Amino acid sequence: MELDTVLMSRLLTAMTLGFHIIFATLGVGIPLMISIAEFIGIKKNDPHYRLLARRWTRGFVITVAVGVVTGTAIGLQLSLVWPNFMQVAGNVISLPLFMEVFAFFFEAIFLGIYLYTWDRFNNPYIHWSFSLPIIIGGGFSAIFITTVNAFMNTPQGFETQDGTFSAVNPLLTMLNPATPTKVFHVLTSAYVTCAAILAAITAIMMLKGKVTAYHKKALRLTMSLTFLFALLTAVAGDFSAKFLADHQAEKLAAAEWHFETEQNADLILFGWLNEDDEPTGEIRIPGLLSFLAHGDFNAEVTGLEAFPENERPPLWVHYMFDLMVSIGFFLPAVALLYLVVAKVKKWNEHHKGILYLIGLSGPLAMLAIEFGWIYAEEGRQPWILRGYMTVEEAATSSPYVTHMFFLFLALYVVLGTLCVVTLRKLFRNNPAEEELEKHYPSLEKGDNE
Amino acid sequence: MSYELVGITVLWIFLYGYLIVASIDFGAGFFAFYAKFTKKDHVINQLIARYLSPVWEVTNVFFVFFFVGIVGFFPETAYYYGTAMLVPASFAIILLAIRGSFYAFENYGSKQSTLYTFLYGVSGLLIPASLSIALTLSEGGFITEENGSVTLNYLDLFTSPLSWSIVVLSVVSILFISATFLTFYAARANDLPALKLVRTFALFWSTPTIIAALTTFIVLSQHNERHYENMLDLWWMFGLSVGFFLMAIWFLYQQKNYGLAFISVMLQFLFAFFGYGIGHYPYLLDPYISIHEGATHASMGVALVGAFIGGLLLLIPSLILLMKLFLFDAAYVKGKK
């Protein structure tokens, strides 16, 4: 069977990105959590928090390794799989790609230093300060790469002449209309996801019976951070929707199944499409789409029919969008529940039910990242560079891309499995209680309630 | 100096940097495996691990930096090399991925596994072999463009003496560079048993290195006369390269000044690498891409150079800090920290 090279190119890239984004998200968010834990530990002189930072770091390094190698893969695949895109767009977007490497380099250097200098300095704040360049480097990597993605959605800062780009203004290409909301959304969602995942790990340990002071502190910290960043992510999501309504209306319309341009537009939640592509079984909230898109219930929202048929994104992105948003509401709800129950003395915030919900919120948060990116990428179809180049024009002509797809599939299966196996071994063979005694033998026993 | 010339010079320096740091890394991986295989791992593996642990990520970044930079400055390379290198570069990515992640799994995970060490050692030799294909392709004759589609002629590539001599050269150079560095590092750590072992590695791999270099030179004269003639005009650079090679051997035999021995090896490769690169000018891919026609717009070129300078101002102090803490901190090298 001869498979279409364009389709295989898309699948290969989707697979690499889908795998890489897990580790990239951890790479952006976890350092912030580690840094906060270490800072609290030093400030309160509490070994529990410092051990938390140590243990998180140890697991983090393994995921960084996978992030680095898959990041290298996607970096090269941009040229290998989309040579025509990089030939044209390389002229315009190479600056942020180039700076991303610098940001990552910066992060990598300090990660190496941070890892190997835990007990080397008398002043503990020196070691802590090495976490800051890691956070900054990781954050800026995300920012630079996101500007590239934003550019693909709302390209600007150049002129076209006979099919090639001329008069390029590199800064204007980076600061395109999609950049602010996208960067905000990517950063906050990475932070909330990492907080939720660390909370989920703690909750699962507690469900397994490890209800110690160490675990309780870890849960309190990560749940508070989840709540904070989940709220910020919701704000960022709202800004993103308003941005789409103004600059990329077809993407919002496809996600909301909003076909006809109208005022006082209804918001369609859930549901499915019948044979005539009409929403069925949906929940309709009158006027809410207008409000979400423009902050006014009577505002006009552009519908999908305003765009030529061959320039509309596929309608199934609605499901991705709904899943992402649902998880986006689930996360702060669980965090709020935990925080409220913890506030009331009589109630037990370590109730099994709550711990289950928290354990669920970590994987769900990562799924929301995946759904969000699938929506972001599919919602731009058929374009790779909106208005200028379609994915079909951009793909490689090499017939070997199908083989490469299966080769990389095997690679990711092996890497993913080994990563999980290694992480489990790492922590199972070295439980927190033992390590606490080893590093901080002076700590009083009896913390275990 | 035009921005495209600045661009290619900077990129070539970075590729040279990658050549050195990656060689140390790749070769060390192979020696670690070899030592395990011959039951000598207790002698050198501690030394290798102490050096590799803090720097492995940094090595990878040199490479990413190079290919992102070359596509930035010369987007045409994405079109030709991107299409032609899909298969070899994908193999290199997979090997790099296996290597990098397995290193972390073994080192930061709990279990020591011979399989990991084996993959780590062997991938280090296969990666340069597959990446060096790009250098072979750049000489022209393997990539053809017809009706707007680029194809790589695999049969020509695999039967070409040029591609094989470049592969051999890359592998033996790696082992030579790495062994010389480890000799220096062992001497610094005052680890005499390890020093004795890695010094014999360094001396052993010196001869194949120079033979492979000369062979490649001769084969290149058959394949790309223009490049070869240009390199002959730069005879003094290659003369210096050979001179530094002899100096390095001399220091190694003398059993002292191992630091100078490693610096000599660095200079040997610096002159050879730049002699080769300058001889290649003006082509990035003979005859399809020249650095003048293939360059990006001036505004982007200038922005990239600006970003590069800004980046260096940030990175150099950080790298110095890293080296101070690990490479040049005698107590750390000796294993006391």
PDB file of all heavy atoms in Angstrom, chain B residues 174-192:
ATOM      1  N   ILE B 174      37.617  10.715  16.424  1.00  0.00           N
ATOM      2  CA  ILE B 174      36.885  10.774  17.696  1.00  0.00           C
ATOM      3  C   ILE B 174      37.649  10.025  18.781  1.00  0.00           C
ATOM      4  O   ILE B 174      37.852  10.533  19.890  1.00  0.00           O
ATOM      5  CB  ILE B 174      35.488  10.177  17.489  1.00  0.00           C
ATOM      6  CG1 ILE B 174      34.593  11.245  16.914  1.00  0.00           C
ATOM      7  CG2 ILE B 174      34.914   9.643  18.784  1.00  0.00           C
ATOM      8  CD1 ILE B 174      33.338  10.699  16.352  1.00  0.00           C
ATOM      9  N   LEU B 175      38.104   8.841  18.433  1.00  0.00           N
ATOM     10  CA  LEU B 175      38.791   8.043  19.443  1.00  0.00           C
ATOM     11  C   LEU B 175      40.107   8.708  19.854  1.00  0.00           C
ATOM     12  O   LEU B 175      40.486   8.702  21.028  1.00  0.00           O
ATOM     13  CB  LEU B 175      39.027   6.635  18.900  1.00  0.00           C
ATOM     14  CG  LEU B 175      37.714   5.867  18.667  1.00  0.00           C
ATOM     15  CD1 LEU B 175      37.960   4.567  17.938  1.00  0.00           C
ATOM     16  CD2 LEU B 175      37.011   5.614  19.988  1.00  0.00           C
ATOM     17  N   PHE B 176      40.776   9.316  18.888  1.00  0.00           N
ATOM     18  CA  PHE B 176      42.051   9.972  19.190  1.00  0.00           C
ATOM     19  C   PHE B 176      41.840  11.210  20.066  1.00  0.00           C
ATOM     20  O   PHE B 176      42.496  11.376  21.102  1.00  0.00           O
ATOM     21  CB  PHE B 176      42.749  10.340  17.881  1.00  0.00           C
ATOM     22  CG  PHE B 176      44.058  11.049  18.077  1.00  0.00           C
ATOM     23  CD1 PHE B 176      45.057  10.488  18.860  1.00  0.00           C
ATOM     24  CD2 PHE B 176      44.294  12.281  17.469  1.00  0.00           C
ATOM     25  CE1 PHE B 176      46.273  11.143  19.034  1.00  0.00           C
ATOM     26  CE2 PHE B 176      45.495  12.942  17.647  1.00  0.00           C
ATOM     27  CZ  PHE B 176      46.490  12.374  18.430  1.00  0.00           C
ATOM     28  N   ILE B 177      40.900  12.053  19.662  1.00  0.00           N
ATOM     29  CA  ILE B 177      40.635  13.280  20.434  1.00  0.00           C
ATOM     30  C   ILE B 177      40.213  12.915  21.856  1.00  0.00           C
ATOM     31  O   ILE B 177      40.714  13.457  22.842  1.00  0.00           O
ATOM     32  CB  ILE B 177      39.526  14.122  19.755  1.00  0.00           C
ATOM     33  CG1 ILE B 177      39.998  14.651  18.412  1.00  0.00           C
ATOM     34  CG2 ILE B 177      39.090  15.268  20.655  1.00  0.00           C
ATOM     35  CD1 ILE B 177      38.906  15.321  17.592  1.00  0.00           C
ATOM     36  N   SER B 178      39.308  11.967  21.939  1.00  0.00           N
ATOM     37  CA  SER B 178      38.779  11.598  23.243  1.00  0.00           C
ATOM     38  C   SER B 178      39.861  11.024  24.148  1.00  0.00           C
ATOM     39  O   SER B 178      39.973  11.396  25.323  1.00  0.00           O
ATOM     40  CB  SER B 178      37.660  10.576  23.044  1.00  0.00           C
ATOM     41  OG  SER B 178      37.076  10.255  24.259  1.00  0.00           O
ATOM     42  N   ALA B 179      40.686  10.138  23.597  1.00  0.00           N
ATOM     43  CA  ALA B 179      41.732   9.513  24.412  1.00  0.00           C
ATOM     44  C   ALA B 179      42.724  10.560  24.907  1.00  0.00           C
ATOM     45  O   ALA B 179      43.176  10.513  26.052  1.00  0.00           O
ATOM     46  CB  ALA B 179      42.440   8.431  23.603  1.00  0.00           C
ATOM     47  N   THR B 180      43.051  11.530  24.044  1.00  0.00           N
ATOM     48  CA  THR B 180      43.998  12.570  24.484  1.00  0.00           C
ATOM     49  C   THR B 180      43.388  13.395  25.605  1.00  0.00           C
ATOM     50  O   THR B 180      44.055  13.719  26.580  1.00  0.00           O
ATOM     51  CB  THR B 180      44.365  13.499  23.307  1.00  0.00           C
ATOM     52  OG1 THR B 180      44.496  12.721  22.145  1.00  0.00           O
ATOM     53  CG2 THR B 180      45.645  14.231  23.583  1.00  0.00           C
ATOM     54  N   PHE B 181      42.103  13.727  25.458  1.00  0.00           N
ATOM     55  CA  PHE B 181      41.473  14.507  26.517  1.00  0.00           C
ATOM     56  C   PHE B 181      41.435  13.719  27.820  1.00  0.00           C
ATOM     57  O   PHE B 181      41.748  14.248  28.888  1.00  0.00           O
ATOM     58  CB  PHE B 181      40.053  14.914  26.129  1.00  0.00           C
ATOM     59  CG  PHE B 181      39.345  15.610  27.249  1.00  0.00           C
ATOM     60  CD1 PHE B 181      39.583  16.956  27.507  1.00  0.00           C
ATOM     61  CD2 PHE B 181      38.484  14.928  28.093  1.00  0.00           C
ATOM     62  CE1 PHE B 181      38.968  17.590  28.561  1.00  0.00           C
ATOM     63  CE2 PHE B 181      37.862  15.554  29.155  1.00  0.00           C
ATOM     64  CZ  PHE B 181      38.111  16.898  29.379  1.00  0.00           C
ATOM     65  N   LEU B 182      41.067  12.461  27.733  1.00  0.00           N
ATOM     66  CA  LEU B 182      40.972  11.656  28.953  1.00  0.00           C
ATOM     67  C   LEU B 182      42.341  11.502  29.611  1.00  0.00           C
ATOM     68  O   LEU B 182      42.448  11.456  30.836  1.00  0.00           O
ATOM     69  CB  LEU B 182      40.367  10.288  28.640  1.00  0.00           C
ATOM     70  CG  LEU B 182      38.871  10.314  28.317  1.00  0.00           C
ATOM     71  CD1 LEU B 182      38.403   8.939  27.874  1.00  0.00           C
ATOM     72  CD2 LEU B 182      38.057  10.793  29.517  1.00  0.00           C
ATOM     73  N   THR B 183      43.391  11.459  28.795  1.00  0.00           N
ATOM     74  CA  THR B 183      44.746  11.407  29.352  1.00  0.00           C
ATOM     75  C   THR B 183      45.012  12.650  30.198  1.00  0.00           C
ATOM     76  O   THR B 183      45.486  12.573  31.337  1.00  0.00           O
ATOM     77  CB  THR B 183      45.777  11.307  28.220  1.00  0.00           C
ATOM     78  OG1 THR B 183      45.393  10.260  27.342  1.00  0.00           O
ATOM     79  CG2 THR B 183      47.164  11.050  28.767  1.00  0.00           C
ATOM     80  N   PHE B 184      44.656  13.789  29.609  1.00  0.00           N
ATOM     81  CA  PHE B 184      44.823  15.049  30.327  1.00  0.00           C
ATOM     82  C   PHE B 184      43.988  15.062  31.603  1.00  0.00           C
ATOM     83  O   PHE B 184      44.448  15.431  32.690  1.00  0.00           O
ATOM     84  CB  PHE B 184      44.444  16.200  29.391  1.00  0.00           C
ATOM     85  CG  PHE B 184      43.966  17.439  30.097  1.00  0.00           C
ATOM     86  CD1 PHE B 184      44.842  18.200  30.870  1.00  0.00           C
ATOM     87  CD2 PHE B 184      42.650  17.860  29.975  1.00  0.00           C
ATOM     88  CE1 PHE B 184      44.394  19.337  31.523  1.00  0.00           C
ATOM     89  CE2 PHE B 184      42.199  18.997  30.624  1.00  0.00           C
ATOM     90  CZ  PHE B 184      43.073  19.734  31.400  1.00  0.00           C
ATOM     91  N   TYR B 185      42.743  14.591  31.502  1.00  0.00           N
ATOM     92  CA  TYR B 185      41.837  14.626  32.638  1.00  0.00           C
ATOM     93  C   TYR B 185      42.318  13.679  33.734  1.00  0.00           C
ATOM     94  O   TYR B 185      42.270  14.012  34.923  1.00  0.00           O
ATOM     95  CB  TYR B 185      40.422  14.231  32.163  1.00  0.00           C
ATOM     96  CG  TYR B 185      39.307  14.720  33.046  1.00  0.00           C
ATOM     97  CD1 TYR B 185      39.036  16.080  33.175  1.00  0.00           C
ATOM     98  CD2 TYR B 185      38.505  13.826  33.739  1.00  0.00           C
ATOM     99  CE1 TYR B 185      38.003  16.521  33.973  1.00  0.00           C
ATOM    100  CE2 TYR B 185      37.462  14.267  34.542  1.00  0.00           C
ATOM    101  CZ  TYR B 185      37.217  15.622  34.654  1.00  0.00           C
ATOM    102  OH  TYR B 185      36.187  16.060  35.446  1.00  0.00           O
ATOM    103  N   ALA B 186      42.808  12.506  33.335  1.00  0.00           N
ATOM    104  CA  ALA B 186      43.314  11.536  34.308  1.00  0.00           C
ATOM    105  C   ALA B 186      44.552  12.083  35.010  1.00  0.00           C
ATOM    106  O   ALA B 186      44.717  11.931  36.225  1.00  0.00           O
ATOM    107  CB  ALA B 186      43.631  10.217  33.622  1.00  0.00           C
ATOM    108  N   ALA B 187      45.406  12.759  34.238  1.00  0.00           N
ATOM    109  CA  ALA B 187      46.610  13.329  34.836  1.00  0.00           C
ATOM    110  C   ALA B 187      46.220  14.383  35.862  1.00  0.00           C
ATOM    111  O   ALA B 187      46.801  14.478  36.939  1.00  0.00           O
ATOM    112  CB  ALA B 187      47.486  13.944  33.745  1.00  0.00           C
ATOM    113  N   ARG B 188      45.214  15.151  35.530  1.00  0.00           N
ATOM    114  CA  ARG B 188      44.754  16.189  36.434  1.00  0.00           C
ATOM    115  C   ARG B 188      44.143  15.603  37.695  1.00  0.00           C
ATOM    116  O   ARG B 188      44.304  16.134  38.787  1.00  0.00           O
ATOM    117  CB  ARG B 188      43.701  17.030  35.723  1.00  0.00           C
ATOM    118  CG  ARG B 188      43.865  18.461  36.053  1.00  0.00           C
ATOM    119  CD  ARG B 188      42.815  19.309  35.462  1.00  0.00           C
ATOM    120  NE  ARG B 188      42.437  20.257  36.491  1.00  0.00           N
ATOM    121  CZ  ARG B 188      43.145  21.338  36.793  1.00  0.00           C
ATOM    122  NH1 ARG B 188      44.241  21.621  36.122  1.00  0.00           N
ATOM    123  NH2 ARG B 188      42.752  22.149  37.746  1.00  0.00           N
ATOM    124  N   ALA B 189      43.439  14.498  37.530  1.00  0.00           N
ATOM    125  CA  ALA B 189      42.840  13.846  38.685  1.00  0.00           C
ATOM    126  C   ALA B 189      43.863  13.028  39.450  1.00  0.00           C
ATOM    127  O   ALA B 189      43.544  12.458  40.486  1.00  0.00           O
ATOM    128  CB  ALA B 189      41.694  12.943  38.224  1.00  0.00           C
ATOM    129  N   ASN B 190      45.071  12.954  38.900  1.00  0.00           N
ATOM    130  CA  ASN B 190      46.134  12.189  39.539  1.00  0.00           C
ATOM    131  C   ASN B 190      45.759  10.712  39.683  1.00  0.00           C
ATOM    132  O   ASN B 190      46.113  10.058  40.654  1.00  0.00           O
ATOM    133  CB  ASN B 190      46.440  12.765  40.918  1.00  0.00           C
ATOM    134  CG  ASN B 190      47.929  12.989  41.063  1.00  0.00           C
ATOM    135  OD1 ASN B 190      48.711  12.428  40.282  1.00  0.00           O
ATOM    136  ND2 ASN B 190      48.325  13.767  42.049  1.00  0.00           N
ATOM    137  N   ASP B 191      45.060  10.224  38.682  1.00  0.00           N
ATOM    138  CA  ASP B 191      44.586   8.850  38.699  1.00  0.00           C
ATOM    139  C   ASP B 191      45.546   8.032  37.820  1.00  0.00           C
ATOM    140  O   ASP B 191      45.352   7.898  36.616  1.00  0.00           O
ATOM    141  CB  ASP B 191      43.151   8.825  38.160  1.00  0.00           C
ATOM    142  CG  ASP B 191      42.535   7.439  38.240  1.00  0.00           C
ATOM    143  OD1 ASP B 191      43.291   6.462  38.415  1.00  0.00           O
ATOM    144  OD2 ASP B 191      41.307   7.346  38.096  1.00  0.00           O
ATOM    145  N   LEU B 192      46.605   7.509  38.421  1.00  0.00           N
ATOM    146  CA  LEU B 192      47.683   6.933  37.620  1.00  0.00           C
ATOM    147  C   LEU B 192      47.299   5.674  36.845  1.00  0.00           C
ATOM    148  O   LEU B 192      47.664   5.561  35.669  1.00  0.00           O
ATOM    149  CB  LEU B 192      48.912   6.683  38.506  1.00  0.00           C
ATOM    150  CG  LEU B 192      49.536   7.988  39.021  1.00  0.00           C
ATOM    151  CD1 LEU B 192      50.721   7.688  39.940  1.00  0.00           C
ATOM    152  CD2 LEU B 192      49.954   8.911  37.897  1.00  0.00           C
TER     153      LEU B 192
END
